[in-house]
Amino acid sequence: MHTPPAASQRRSPEPPRDQLPAGGHPIAGEPRPAFVHAPVLLEEVLAFVPADARMAVDATLGGGGHAEALLRRFPAVELFGCDRDPEAVEAARARLEPFAGRVLVRRLRFSELPHHVLAESVDFLLADLGVSSPQLDRPERGFSFSQEGALDMRMDASRPGQSAADLVNRASGERLRALFERLGEEPFAARMAEAIVEARRRAPIASTTQLAALLAAVVPARARRRGFHPATRAFQALRMAVNDEPAELERLLDGAPGLLRAGGRLAVISFHSLEDRPVKLRFRTWEAPCECPPELPRCICGKQPLGRRVTRRPVTAGAEEAARNPRSRSAKLRVFEKR
């Protein structure tokens, strides 16, 4: 496979649930379990790949499940894959080794993608916005409230940036409340923020289970849902803030149209409304960008559609997949085709 051109060679100007799954702790002395993750909506995703596709991009490689299936199903396709998690990149490289010559893997954020992929060259661009099960299941990553681990939550701990512990122990109570409300849609955000501020006066909050217990204690029993941990939304909000996920998603949506060729498709899998909503609104705007008042007989703003929504409603998992993989129940797939 040819090496993607540098930014200077591009043809256009430069312009990231339900209850989290639990997993066992690694046994001392045993090797770390492989980064294995079941891709959601796999057959549905493959069905939207253009029949004449030659260049695909998987912007969220994870364990490489979607990428491997795509390369097997479409032998003429070359694939550029990336992920911000170095463990995922390592696992994907190993899994995709049989396709050497057709695949190139890099560790990148969404915002870096336009610097590595030629403008108007992509036939199919996939982004699965979910957190992979291996990330959740490893206590040392700090994503899961059901396992004891350091409060980290960084997708890439090798790069500078604040951890969840930094945020929990240093952010003001008002900022924490706002984060829980905005990124977690948590109805008890104020109580949770107050509890954190009070607890950290005595000692820093250092572990996932310590924070989870603290948050759960402020949620009244009458407000608790069976099978849903009270800390779920707050942990989601912290993870999204630590990894700047809303901004990274916006950057992906900003850059994706310029990467697609005419007839190319963007497919996005989201897992909650804070991911699905901006994708849905952006797809609608791309399809119908006119801002003229409805009483005008014709458009005078000059904004032209970028293409069409291939999926008018989100594609969701069937009963068989939902039973096999509970994580897929909240997955929503939307697809847009550039005209």
Side-chain angles (χ1 to χ4, degrees):
M1 177 179 178
H2 61 79
T3 302
S8 60
Q9 296 175 277
R10 298 186 303 121
R11 293 198 297 268
S12 65
E14 289 185 8
R17 288 173 186 109
D18 293 344
Q19 180 162 353
L20 300 181
H25 294 269
I27 300 174
E30 288 192 359
R32 175 185 292 177
F35 196 108
V36 178
H37 174 66
V40 301
L41 301 174
L42 180 58
E43 286 302 320
E44 290 82 355
V45 166
L46 296 178
F48 287 110
V49 178
D52 60 347
R54 293 295 180 269
M55 177 64 184
V57 171
D58 187 341
T60 48
L61 269 175
H66 283 115
E68 179 187 31
L70 194 153
L71 288 163
R72 289 192 186 281
R73 182 75 59 87
F74 300 92
V77 165
E78 295 182 343
L79 183 135
F80 180 86
C82 59
D83 202 291
R84 66 195 296 183
D85 186 334
E87 290 185 14
V89 168
E90 180 183 354
R93 281 188 174 135
R95 185 169 185 169
L96 301 178
E97 179 61 30
F99 305 96
R102 293 175 55 202
V103 63
L104 189 63
V105 175
R106 291 287 184 265
R107 183 176 54 150
L108 300 173
R109 294 171 176 258
F110 290 155
S111 52
E112 299 172 298
L113 196 58
H115 301 282
H116 294 263
V117 177
L118 188 68
E120 299 182 355
S121 68
V122 179
D123 299 292
F124 188 71
L125 197 166
L126 171 66
D128 176 348
L129 305 179
V131 180
S132 297
S133 298
Q135 294 167 327
L136 297 170
D137 291 346
R138 291 180 183 166
E140 68 271 20
R141 300 297 300 268
F143 288 106
S144 177
F145 45 69
S146 61
Q147 302 184 77
E148 177 73 16
L151 267 177
D152 194 320
M153 299 192 189
R154 287 174 293 174
M155 292 291 183
D156 185 356
S158 67
R159 293 185 178 182
Q162 69 176 354
S163 66
D166 295 329
L167 191 55
V168 165
N169 288 293
R170 297 177 186 174
S172 67
E174 179 58 28
R175 186 185 176 198
L176 289 171
R177 181 195 62 77
L179 283 177
F180 294 155
E181 286 181 346
R182 182 171 62 88
L183 300 181
E185 299 180 319
E186 171 55 60
F188 297 98
R191 293 188 188 184
M192 289 181 171
E194 290 172 5
I196 288 173
V197 172
E198 179 61 29
R200 74 191 187 189
R201 289 196 183 106
R202 298 187 292 272
I205 301 169
S207 76
T208 52
T209 54
Q210 180 188 3
L211 178 61
L214 179 68
L215 298 176
V218 304
V219 178
R222 59 177 170 75
R224 300 192 180 197
R225 289 160 43 193
R226 182 170 181 158
F228 188 87
H229 194 287
T232 300
R233 295 188 183 96
F235 266 60
Q236 171 187 293
L238 290 171
R239 188 204 78 222
M240 294 179 70
V242 164
N243 295 290
D244 198 24
E245 292 179 29
E248 281 295 308
L249 176 56
E250 290 297 328
R251 291 166 189 144
L252 172 69
L253 296 172
D254 287 342
L259 300 180
L260 295 175
R261 68 161 178 84
R265 290 177 171 180
L266 169 64
V268 182
I269 302 173
S270 62
F271 288 83
H272 53 77
S273 61
L274 293 170
E275 295 170 340
D276 182 57
R277 191 178 301 126
V279 174
K280 176 176 65 176
L281 293 178
R282 192 70 73 99
F283 283 13
R284 283 180 179 175
T285 301
W286 289 346
E287 184 178 65
C290 178
E291 297 178 344
C292 296
E295 61 270 17
L296 290 182
R298 61 183 179 84
C299 173
I300 61 172
C301 71
K303 294 189 175 182
Q304 298 296 313
L306 289 178
R308 68 182 182 96
R309 288 176 290 164
V310 180
T311 53
R312 310 303 291 185
R313 295 179 180 274
V315 177
T316 57
E320 182 180 342
E321 180 177 8
R324 183 177 68 252
N325 180 10
R327 177 177 174 268
S328 69
R329 294 172 185 168
S330 54
K332 292 182 178 181
L333 168 65
R334 296 184 186 271
V335 182
F336 185 88
E337 180 179 280
K338 186 175 178 180
R339 69 181 224 173

